[in-house]
Amino acid sequence: MVFSDIASAANGITALIGINFVTFAAFGIDKMKAEAGRWRIAESTLLMIALAGGSPGAYAGRAIFRHKTRKQPFSVQLHGIAALQGLMLAIGGGWWSAG
């Protein structure tokens, strides 16, 4: 493994940590705004940042803040995003290990 591979992997991991932090924070902010009766973050925005790689942060935010846990269309869509990401990770991992 050369330095550029290591740097590329580190950049990818850093980006994933960042998007998951943003997603987690968005769930917390949305919960706070919901409790205050203020403007909310659109569900589509929460789902888009989860789709961008933040699904672990979304699940953590749901659990910690108890937010969007019973909203059925949202939950089904988030589970679909996580399943798609898991499939992509499995396929990508297979390609990476194969060659």
Side-chain angles (χ1 to χ4, degrees), residues 16-17 19-25 27 49-64 78 81-82 85-86 89:
L16 279 174
I17 290 169
I19 192 66
N20 280 283
F21 176 77
V22 167
T23 307
F24 180 80
F27 272 75
I49 57 178
L51 181 63
S55 57
Y59 280 108
R62 285 178 54 164
I64 299 288
L78 183 58
I81 288 169
Q85 290 172 339
L89 186 61

Side-chain angles (χ1 to χ4, degrees), residues 16-84:
L16 279 174
I17 290 169
I19 192 66
N20 280 283
F21 176 77
V22 167
T23 307
F24 180 80
F27 272 75
I29 291 166
D30 191 49
K31 175 68 174 197
M32 180 182 64
K33 290 184 175 204
E35 290 174 340
R38 296 179 51 210
W39 167 86
R40 306 274 305 277
I41 298 172
E43 286 185 357
S44 61
T45 301
L46 294 173
L47 289 169
M48 287 303 289
I49 57 178
L51 181 63
S55 57
Y59 280 108
R62 285 178 54 164
I64 299 288
F65 303 118
R66 295 184 182 183
H67 190 50
K68 302 265 186 213
T69 57
R70 292 182 287 179
K71 190 117 183 187
Q72 270 317 306
F74 183 87
S75 292
V76 169
Q77 291 168 333
L78 183 58
H79 293 327
I81 288 169
L84 177 65

